[in-house]
Amino acid sequence: MKYNVIKVCSKPWFLGLLSVILLTTSNITLLMKVNTPTPLPDYLDTHNTTTICKYEDTPRVGRLDQNRQHIIFDSLFVGDNFWQLSQEKIVCLATLSTPDKLHWLPQVVTHWGGLVSLAIYLKDSEEQLFKSYLNYLYVCHSEIMANVSVHLIKPLVRHGDIYSRVSSYLSSEPPIIQCSNPTTVMKAFMKFRAKTVANKGVPQNHMRNVARKGCGTSYVITSDIDVIPSKNAEGQLETFLKRKESRECIKCVFVLPTFELDDQAIFPKSKSELLTLESKGRARPFHEKVFIHNQYATNFSRWRSSNTTNDIVISHPVTDFEFFYEPFYVSLDVVPPHDERFIGYGFTRNTQVYEMFLSGWKFYVLSPIFLIHWGLQRRSTRPGWRENENTKNRILFTNFKRELIARYKLDMKV
Ligand SMILES: *[C@@H]1O[C@H](CO)[C@@H](O)[C@H](O)[C@H]1NC(C)=O
Ligand SMILES: *[C@@H]1O[C@H](CO)[C@@H](O)[C@H](O)[C@H]1NC(C)=O
Ligand SMILES: *[C@@H]1O[C@H](CO)[C@@H](O)[C@H](O)[C@H]1NC(C)=O
Ligand SMILES: *[C@@H]1O[C@H](CO)[C@@H](O)[C@H](O)[C@H]1NC(C)=O
């Protein structure tokens, strides 16, 4: 295995480190009354980091969300190809992540093969981790980052000293980074994550809206960072969406069947490989065991038996919509936004899908394209805060539903 030591330019970390070194050397210099500056160790040579140091500092000025609880920095980093591609392409993948899940990004981008708009939610205490990891991605995977635009969302409240944990970082060795394996690098980085930081209060719906609007294309998929598209999904979808029948299908939601896959399996190269894995129990519909209603309305049995072609076709329409249906889909970017009153877990994706359903959007399942979530999901005990978020959102849902009924002039039975 080849390890590369790279210079991860994370400004505050480096400036902090640099100032410690400079202070130390100037003290020594004073004491010894010598004027020759001590050369910096190799890993601290920041002269050649201008091209590497994509991430500088968060700008001081962002925009606030409607509830004035979050601050949003749109298009904080824009990959070198992003603008050009956004002029040429009609579809873009909008995705969201917390800093601890960023290692999925390279796989998502390379499988997808086109534009990616990424919204990241960050607490101040995670800024170091985020900056360092993002810079690592820019250094080691610049061709991947070229297709990506990154947006940042932070809680508006300012908590404590954001650099408090840097001092412990300083005393450790410079990171040894293995370019080829983002997951290993993330594991190393996670050691610096404060134990108290859970993915609590994540404004998922804000992130989805921000990522979607950051796409700038006609069609958008809204996905999660750990959901991986089948190979060359973007190319196939561009072809499909440009067809006359697709273009004329305005209020159409094209569902991407989503599976979960055994961690040890090899990512299926085709629908038939996926079906083989499924027959061996190594893949199954996403959330089938944890919460079957999540994807049930997709009707996987019809998908399995529909013709396998190279080009994307509509396999079948969704006929039995359910309230808890949460498909990943591609649609025109004019679908209703994700309602930002729902924060954290519960009622986040499905309420948006529900609104589409109530307002007359039709759902069609595509084949042979698919999405994969790594790991067979098991029912596990969820942390109490997650249940609290769910309960809070269930209460908020009552008003949300009343508003939908008024907005779309529906009768109360729905
Ligand atoms: C700067 O760093 C880049 C990437 O590590 C390297 O390819 C380049 O040769 C370096 N340039 C100089 C002047 O050292
Ligand atoms: C970036 O997008 C272009 C255009 O779709 C594609 O050709 C290229 O392979 C993409 N790069 C990566 C690393 O996926
Ligand atoms: C799936 O499709 C079959 C055949 O059309 C139908 O009998 C069944 O009710 C459908 N199930 C769901 C969940 O839509
Ligand atoms: C599936 O493909 C066969 C042969 O190409 C064709 O005859 C049949 O009509 C197709 N079925 C559907 C549902 O498209």
Side-chain angles (χ1 to χ4, degrees):
M1 255 186 289
K2 188 167 174 282
Y3 287 90
N4 292 331
V5 178
I6 58 151
K7 289 163 262 182
V8 179
C9 170
S10 180
K11 217 174 177 193
W13 170 44
F14 262 83
L15 288 185
L17 200 46
L18 212 54
S19 56
V20 170
I21 301 275
L22 289 180
L23 270 175
T24 318
T25 45
S26 65
N27 282 347
I28 294 170
T29 314
L30 276 178
L31 277 173
M32 297 170 63
K33 300 207 188 313
V34 233
N35 275 330
T36 43
T38 318
L40 290 171
D42 206 27
Y43 60 89
L44 276 181
D45 181 1
T46 50
H47 293 110
N48 187 21
T49 49
T50 40
T51 53
I52 288 171
C53 192
K54 279 277 187 187
Y55 185 92
E56 296 280 337
D57 268 324
T58 312
R60 280 158 212 265
V61 181
R63 65 184 170 94
L64 295 188
D65 73 331
Q66 284 183 357
N67 304 327
R68 305 179 58 82
Q69 286 173 358
H70 297 92
I71 182 159
I72 299 165
F73 305 96
D74 294 287
S75 306
L76 195 54
F77 325 100
V78 181
D80 293 340
N81 296 341
F82 192 88
W83 186 82
Q84 182 63 34
L85 288 179
S86 70
Q87 308 301 300
E88 297 164 4
K89 301 286 185 175
I90 61 168
V91 64
C92 158
L93 181 75
T95 190
L96 49 148
S97 184
T98 42
D100 55 314
K101 298 207 171 104
L102 273 173
H103 56 289
W104 293 114
L105 186 65
Q107 200 179 21
V108 167
V109 175
T110 48
H111 275 237
W112 169 242
L115 284 170
V116 175
S117 170
L118 167 69
I120 294 172
Y121 175 68
L122 191 67
K123 292 172 184 159
D124 281 343
S125 61
E126 305 226 81
E127 187 117 12
Q128 296 300 324
L129 177 69
F130 166 69
K131 285 178 184 176
S132 305
Y133 198 79
L134 206 62
N135 282 308
Y136 152 73
L137 288 177
Y138 274 112
V139 175
C140 287
H141 303 281
S142 55
E143 74 298 343
I144 287 170
M145 296 310 283
N147 285 2
V148 181
S149 166
V150 180
H151 324 282
L152 202 62
I153 301 176
K154 297 171 70 171
L156 189 58
V157 284
R158 322 226 174 263
H159 19 210
D161 171 18
I162 61 174
Y163 301 130
S164 56
R165 285 183 314 107
V166 180
S167 53
S168 65
Y169 208 161
L170 290 182
S171 58
S172 66
E173 288 292 301
I176 293 176
I177 285 171
Q178 192 186 2
C179 267
S180 63
N181 195 338
T183 309
T184 313
V185 178
M186 179 52 81
K187 277 194 191 131
F189 274 61
M190 287 305 286
K191 292 193 187 127
F192 299 104
R193 195 188 202 208
K195 293 270 183 300
T196 50
V197 181
N199 288 333
K200 219 188 278 187
V202 178
Q204 302 180 19
N205 279 358
H206 293 67
M207 295 161 82
R208 292 194 173 97
N209 292 335
V210 166
R212 218 167 87 181
K213 291 302 168 194
C215 271
T217 49
S218 309
Y219 289 90
V220 176
I221 300 179
T222 311
S223 177
D224 291 341
I225 192 76
D226 50 4
V227 173
I228 320 285
S230 51
K231 272 282 172 112
N232 190 29
E234 189 255 14
Q236 286 181 312
L237 269 180
E238 284 271 327
T239 309
F240 170 78
L241 294 169
K242 279 177 183 157
R243 277 193 219 133
K244 187 163 172 290
E245 312 84 79
S246 312
R247 276 189 287 121
E248 286 173 354
C249 203
I250 304 291
K251 271 190 129 175
C252 286
V253 180
F254 300 113
V255 172
L256 312 176
T258 307
F259 287 78
E260 54 190 44
L261 181 66
D262 183 345
D263 280 319
Q264 308 302 319
I266 292 169
F267 196 99
K269 284 198 276 302
S270 61
K271 176 175 170 179
S272 55
E273 279 192 23
L274 173 59
L275 294 181
T276 308
L277 285 165
E278 201 189 14
S279 67
K280 293 179 181 158
R282 306 194 72 191
R284 63 187 176 216
F286 185 48
H287 272 37
E288 192 183 60
K289 291 281 184 302
V290 178
F291 186 63
I292 195 168
H293 302 291
N294 187 274
Q295 303 288 320
Y296 191 65
T298 293
N299 204 336
F300 290 89
S301 44
R302 285 190 77 177
W303 189 76
R304 286 180 199 108
S305 60
S306 69
N307 272 352
T308 302
T309 49
N310 269 337
D311 293 334
I312 293 181
V313 292
I314 291 176
S315 163
H316 58 278
V318 169
T319 50
D320 297 81
F321 186 90
E322 299 184 291
F323 173 67
F324 284 110
Y325 190 36
E326 274 193 356
F328 293 97
Y329 61 84
V330 59
S331 72
L332 282 170
D333 181 38
V334 298
V335 291
H338 289 78
D339 197 292
E340 294 180 4
R341 82 191 80 183
F342 301 110
I343 292 187
Y345 285 94
F347 297 85
T348 47
R349 264 185 328 114
N350 78 304
T351 43
Q352 191 274 339
V353 173
Y354 184 56
E355 181 168 353
M356 284 198 294
F357 173 71
L358 292 186
S359 56
W361 288 74
K362 298 283 178 257
F363 296 72
Y364 297 96
V365 180
L366 299 184
S367 174
I369 192 174
F370 56 86
L371 301 176
I372 293 285
H373 185 285
W374 280 110
L376 299 175
Q377 307 287 296
R378 275 175 205 90
R379 214 184 278 271
S380 55
T381 45
R382 290 181 164 167
W385 58 263
R386 196 168 155 163
E387 278 314 316
N388 290 346
E389 289 184 345
N390 200 38
T391 308
K392 221 159 117 195
N393 285 341
R394 183 174 300 116
I395 295 163
L396 292 172
F397 174 73
T398 316
N399 273 337
F400 173 78
K401 187 171 170 184
R402 280 202 198 107
E403 286 171 24
L404 290 190
I405 286 164
R407 187 177 308 146
Y408 299 111
K409 302 185 173 62
L410 303 165
D411 69 43
M412 290 302 284
K413 283 200 293 287
V414 287

